[in-house]
């Protein structure tokens, strides 16, 4: 089904949660499009599509999802954060997405939903959502954040290469979800909790409370040179860094990279 934009407008624009919704049945990438026309995009606009032909993830990886089955959009948010606070927007967005999914699935079967550093959501140990943050007007006090979100909602079949790592709400909860309602809930929660962006320490504490990685043995991959190491996660610092201890007990902090939790069984 294509997106019901009348419903979205009624709940999100009429009530002033959003200033506008730009919808395409098909678009190359909501983030790439938003970056191209960011001068024209007002604060609190979303660029939404039912199908991305060239969606991208972190580190330039493809983000491919089926037509009409998932949530793919970018939220344009003007916000005053210092350069050393920019990571908070990533942690904030993934935390709000966590709250949204938790709320949406409260009547569903037992499940494990966790935040994975730096900003993934795992459901029953598989990735269900990803966030790609672009920032414009970096040197101004008021920065323009392009917050790209991909959430797997009703897709049942994933390409073979990611099948063991990716999942959707439908696959885990065994029912179909209304994509519009998830988006409405996300935008409301995003607007209603914005004060957390000015309370970084509290935000990071909340984020960590929804993550299951501290104290775990993980495989850490540095994406610039592809180096991998088995380490134990000691903490996530308030500046967003992942503090790990290696086999020799040496502690290091990373700001970028990817972890996979090493489960015992
Ligand atoms: C990741 O986990 O690597 C981030 C994935 C982000 C995907 C979303 S879908 C909407 C927006 N447009 C894009 O091209 N990417 C983001």
């Amino acid at each position: 089904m294509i997106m019901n934009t009348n419903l979205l407008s009624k709940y999100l624009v009429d009530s002033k949660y959003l200033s506008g919704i730009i919808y395409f049945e098909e678009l190359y990438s909501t983030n790439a499009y938003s970056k191209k026309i960011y001068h024209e995009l007002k604060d609190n606009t979303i660029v939404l599509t039912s199908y991305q032909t060239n969606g991208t993830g972190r580190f330039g990886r493809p983000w491919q999802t089926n037509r009409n089955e998932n949530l793919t959009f970018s939220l344009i948010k003007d916000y005053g954060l210092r350069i050393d606070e920019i990571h908070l927007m990533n942690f904030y967005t993934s935390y709000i997405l966590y709250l949204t999914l938790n709320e949406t699935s409260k009547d569903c079967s037992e499940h494990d939903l966790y935040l994975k550093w730096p900003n993934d959501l795992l459901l029953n140990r598989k990735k269900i959502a990803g966030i790609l943050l672009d920032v414009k007007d970096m040197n101004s006090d008021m920065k323009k954040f392009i917050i790209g979100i991909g959430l797997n909602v009703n897709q049942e079949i994933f390409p073979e290469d990611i099948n063991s790592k990716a999942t959707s709400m439908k696959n885990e909860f065994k029912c179909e979800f209304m994509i519009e309602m998830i988006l409405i809930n996300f935008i409301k929660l995003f607007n209603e909790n914005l004060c957390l962006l000015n309370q970084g320490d509290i935000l990071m504490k909340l984020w960590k409370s929804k993550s299951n990685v501290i104290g775990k043995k993980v495989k850490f991959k540095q994406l610039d040179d592809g180096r991998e190491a088995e380490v134990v996660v000691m903490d996530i610092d308030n500046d967003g860094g992942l503090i790990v201890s290696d086999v020799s007990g040496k502690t290091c902090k990373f700001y970028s990279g990817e972890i996979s939790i090493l489960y015992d069984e």
Side-chain angles (χ1 to χ4, degrees):
M1 268 214 300
I2 67 159
M3 203 70 72
N4 184 340
T5 47
N6 287 336
L7 184 81
L8 291 175
S9 279
K10 181 167 165 269
Y11 279 96
L12 295 176
V13 182
D14 295 357
S15 58
K16 308 263 186 290
Y17 280 109
L18 288 180
S19 54
I21 298 172
I22 303 176
Y23 173 68
F24 297 91
E25 269 179 48
E26 179 178 313
L27 181 67
Y28 48 102
S29 149
T30 59
N31 264 43
Y33 175 81
S34 304
K35 277 199 283 183
K36 203 168 91 184
I37 59 149
Y38 80 97
H39 279 120
E40 299 164 32
L41 294 173
K42 279 202 274 174
D43 180 28
N44 287 325
T45 301
I46 56 166
V47 175
L48 172 71
T49 187
S50 294
Y51 183 57
Q52 287 190 135
T53 51
N54 197 16
T56 44
R58 291 170 65 229
F59 305 103
R61 290 177 184 150
W63 182 264
Q64 288 166 319
T65 54
N66 291 355
R67 193 182 289 272
N68 297 336
E69 295 181 345
N70 302 293
L71 183 57
T72 42
F73 71 103
S74 302
L75 168 65
I76 314 307
K77 185 78 209 153
D78 297 346
Y79 207 83
L81 286 180
R82 293 191 313 263
I83 288 186
D84 64 324
E85 293 173 328
I86 279 184
H87 64 283
L88 293 177
M89 190 58 93
N90 256 322
F91 285 92
Y92 179 68
T93 305
S94 48
Y95 177 66
I96 295 298
L97 202 49
Y98 174 94
L99 295 183
T100 309
L101 286 197
N102 217 24
E103 174 69 25
T104 312
S105 62
K106 63 177 185 297
D107 300 324
C108 299
S109 56
E110 283 284 298
H111 57 271
D112 279 335
L113 179 64
Y114 289 110
L115 290 166
K116 194 187 92 171
W117 184 90
N119 54 13
D120 286 344
L121 256 96
L122 296 189
L123 180 58
N124 297 338
R125 299 183 180 181
K126 290 182 171 187
K127 178 159 167 164
I128 189 164
I131 294 164
L132 181 67
L133 188 75
D134 284 299
V135 192
K136 291 283 180 190
D137 300 336
M138 190 63 125
N139 294 320
S140 115
D141 288 345
M142 192 59 105
K143 297 173 178 49
K144 210 168 199 61
F145 291 91
I146 298 169
I147 307 167
I149 295 176
L151 171 67
N152 300 334
V153 183
N154 292 321
Q155 182 164 334
E156 288 177 283
I157 298 172
F158 288 86
E160 214 173 303
D161 54 327
I162 57 165
N163 193 33
S164 61
K165 294 185 273 185
T167 193
S168 69
M169 295 176 69
K170 184 168 183 182
N171 279 355
E172 301 306 311
F173 297 129
K174 314 287 178 225
C175 58
E176 190 102 8
F177 288 87
M178 202 174 155
I179 297 171
E180 292 86 343
M181 286 320 294
I182 299 172
L183 178 56
I184 290 167
N185 288 337
F186 172 82
I187 297 291
K188 282 188 175 170
L189 285 166
F190 191 97
N191 278 283
E192 284 163 1
N193 290 283
L194 275 174
C195 61
L196 280 176
L197 277 172
N198 301 97
Q199 299 169 286
D201 295 2
I202 296 176
L203 170 62
M204 292 308 293
K205 207 170 162 188
L206 286 169
W207 196 95
K208 284 195 277 185
S209 73
K210 307 300 179 198
S211 170
N212 67 344
V213 83
I214 295 170
K216 292 255 164 65
K217 200 185 331 161
V218 302
K219 190 165 78 186
F220 180 80
K221 190 169 177 189
Q222 273 175 285
L223 288 140
D224 42 4
D225 58 10
R227 267 191 300 160
E228 283 186 357
E230 276 189 22
V231 294
V232 175
V233 178
M234 308 305 286
D235 202 359
I236 296 164
D237 212 345
N238 285 354
D239 64 2
L242 182 81
I243 303 171
V244 301
S245 166
D246 68 13
V247 276
S248 66
K250 197 173 117 226
T251 303
C252 326
K253 182 149 85 167
F254 293 99
Y255 292 93
S256 154
E258 191 171 64
I259 55 174
S260 358
I261 301 172
L262 298 167
Y263 294 103
D264 286 337
E265 78 278 27

